[in-house]
Amino acid sequence: MATSLDYQGLSYQQLLWSLIAKACSAGLKAEFYGVLRYPEGEFPLLKLSSMEHERLVVVSANIHGDEVAGALTFEHLGDIFSYADARKVSLIAYPCTNPTGFDRRIRYNIRNEMGNNDFLRYILPDGSAVDDIGEGRDFVEWKWSSDASLGQKLPLETQLLHEELKRLPFGCIKGAADLHQDCFLDFCATHYGSYAYVLDKKEELAPIARQAEGIVPLLRNTQITSGYGTVVDENGQVIANSSIGPWTDGHGFVKRHDGSLQDLFHRLGVPYTVTVETTGNVPLEKSVAVNLAWVRGIIDLAARA
Ligand SMILES: [Zn+2]
């Protein structure tokens, strides 16, 4: 599957207008849920939707700016939306939630602010607030990380996505897929394939992982250190990473309640959620194919939910 987008030199503005043109020709609604205003320029945040049906799936991508396979998956947005429509599922897509990171091919935003995937906090029995409870330790309650009582400063991209998500009809959302890429060099040098963050309903989601296995190897029983203890330099490039991290299970799944966008959807009662990962050494078209397999699989499950 070739992508007509020349991703190497592709700017966010080019991506944005290409996707808007495709959305218009496919009869989809294209709108901006916010605009990032930096001295370096303005970056509208794109939302695509088709809301004909009661059941809804949300697909998001490129929260980490260097993980371009997510945004490029929407090169196929006509196919994605018609697949959902044929199964009587509405779809909302956020193709690139970190435009300045996309432009620079860096993990965080133009200010190198971490916290772009910061969506909730767990209040522990001792009153402290943490964003990561591993596979699920006891907590008293959870809050959006933008809750005023926490006094948390979030990157502008994340603030605007919080505001947008709070407007969604959560009772209708039956599935959510957040598309990532594992671009950590140490990991990619020794691994090639895909894995996924899955919080529950493993048995129902496992067939999707096996389908993706027809595209690239599934990283079963593999330690994932990427994204833990990450340090970036002044240019936004990742220079250090933890040597410890969780292991995938026999399905290639990691269970991690880490306050991410997926974790938020899970806590809000969305039955089927996934964060899809392909290693950075997987050819782009194969990463896109894995992403499409997961998006279709989540739509199929949502249609039956
Ligand atoms: Zn990521």
Side-chain angles (χ1 to χ4, degrees):
M1 180 183 7
T3 172
S4 62
L5 291 171
D6 173 15
Y7 109 92
Q8 292 287 355
L10 186 73
S11 72
Y12 178 69
Q13 293 293 336
Q14 289 169 321
L15 172 78
L16 179 68
W17 295 109
S18 163
L19 293 178
I20 289 172
K22 280 180 188 292
C24 290
S25 65
L28 307 174
K29 185 175 181 183
E31 60 193 307
F32 299 143
Y33 65 88
V35 180
L36 303 169
R37 291 191 172 82
Y38 288 108
E40 293 84 351
E42 294 192 352
F43 301 84
L45 293 158
L46 182 61
K47 173 184 183 180
L48 306 173
S49 60
S50 176
M51 302 292 282
E52 301 291 312
H53 312 289
E54 190 181 334
R55 288 153 198 251
L56 175 61
V57 163
V58 178
V59 184
S60 50
N62 248 123
I63 217 165
H64 295 135
D66 53 342
E67 301 172 6
V68 297
L72 297 186
T73 301
F74 294 94
E75 168 80 344
H76 303 275
L77 69 86
D79 296 340
I80 295 169
F81 275 83
S82 56
Y83 189 90
D85 188 52
R87 285 150 187 81
K88 299 197 181 325
V89 171
S90 293
L91 200 65
I92 292 177
Y94 303 103
C96 183
T97 57
N98 180 3
T100 62
F102 179 90
D103 262 350
R104 287 157 183 77
R105 305 298 194 261
I106 56 175
R107 184 171 178 82
Y108 304 120
N109 66 7
I110 195 170
R111 296 286 171 267
N112 270 336
E113 293 171 295
M114 299 175 79
N116 40 358
N117 200 2
D118 184 345
F119 286 87
L120 61 85
R121 285 290 179 284
Y122 292 100
I123 311 303
L124 302 183
D126 66 3
S128 62
V130 299
D131 62 356
D132 190 335
I133 56 167
E135 292 193 8
R137 59 190 279 204
D138 287 343
F139 63 93
V140 177
E141 62 173 326
W142 66 266
K143 296 179 177 183
W144 291 70
S145 56
S146 52
D147 191 294
S149 68
L150 295 167
Q152 193 70 31
K153 184 181 183 312
L154 297 171
L156 186 54
E157 295 80 1
T158 313
Q159 290 174 38
L160 292 172
L161 190 51
H162 276 239
E163 289 173 20
E164 161 61 17
L165 294 174
K166 286 175 180 173
R167 294 189 284 263
L168 296 185
F170 266 93
C172 300
I173 304 176
K174 304 303 176 193
D178 194 24
L179 307 180
H180 285 243
Q181 233 177 322
D182 187 331
C183 296
F184 289 84
L185 287 177
D186 290 352
F187 185 79
C188 295
T190 48
H191 296 84
Y192 172 88
S194 79
Y195 63 97
Y197 288 84
V198 164
L199 302 175
D200 65 359
K201 303 195 186 303
K202 271 189 195 181
E203 298 304 324
E204 291 171 83
L205 292 161
I208 309 174
R210 288 198 293 275
Q211 197 181 351
E213 195 172 17
I215 304 163
V216 292
L218 188 57
L219 295 173
R220 306 169 191 267
N221 306 310
T222 303
Q223 190 175 26
I224 306 299
T225 57
S226 310
Y228 300 93
T230 305
V231 179
V232 298
D233 67 14
E234 66 276 15
N235 298 314
Q237 301 301 322
V238 174
I239 54 171
N241 192 46
S242 176
S243 60
I244 56 169
W247 288 71
T248 62
D249 64 12
H251 301 295
F253 293 163
V254 181
K255 183 177 182 183
R256 194 83 177 182
H257 291 283
D258 56 0
S260 65
L261 179 56
Q262 177 193 8
D263 203 9
L264 174 74
F265 279 120
H266 172 76
R267 294 297 172 200
L268 286 166
V270 177
Y272 299 103
T273 69
V274 67
T275 298
V276 185
E277 302 273 4
T278 47
T279 55
N281 52 3
V282 170
L284 202 56
E285 61 273 19
K286 291 195 175 194
S287 294
V288 168
V290 168
N291 290 342
L292 288 170
W294 272 103
V295 170
R296 290 192 195 104
I298 292 288
I299 290 169
D300 287 339
L301 289 170
R304 301 198 294 265

